[in-house]
Amino acid sequence: MGFYFLSYLFMMGAFYTFCRSTTPLEINLYTFYIIGASMVFSGAVGLIALFAPSGLGIREAGIVYFIAVATNMVPLEVALLIAVCFRFLTAIVEILLFGLTAWRYKI
């Protein structure tokens, strides 16, 4: 269970850094928590939505809602850009990790 916590902390940090690269966010623990928690919570809601494969669109809508509408940390247009670009980034990472695993174990 501790590894899940560490992996989610790592993902929260990656998402926060990604958001900071697109918009000037304050650097403090509160902002890190809100931005990171929005990504984790939106991912969980996307997994629960059985009608959407891998939460496609659900996770992005949750991210946009939490960082643009509910907390008003970034403008709506920037939140849409962040959500879509982060989806592409995670898809690329997953494809690369699959390829690395297939190459390593010669699948």
Side-chain angles (χ1 to χ4, degrees), residues 79-92:
L80 285 168
L81 178 70
I82 288 171
V84 171
C85 289
F86 197 72
R87 172 61 89 167
F88 283 127
L89 181 66
T90 55
I92 289 169

Side-chain angles (χ1 to χ4, degrees), residues 42-91:
S42 298
V45 170
L47 287 176
I48 292 171
L50 298 176
F51 57 88
S54 280
L56 188 61
I58 306 298
R59 184 172 72 171
E60 289 77 17
I63 288 172
V64 169
Y65 174 76
F66 283 117
I67 66 175
V69 178
T71 61
N72 203 18
M73 288 188 168
V74 297
L76 182 63
E77 296 82 12
V78 176
L80 285 168
L81 178 70
I82 288 171
V84 171
C85 289
F86 197 72
R87 172 61 89 167
F88 283 127
L89 181 66
T90 55

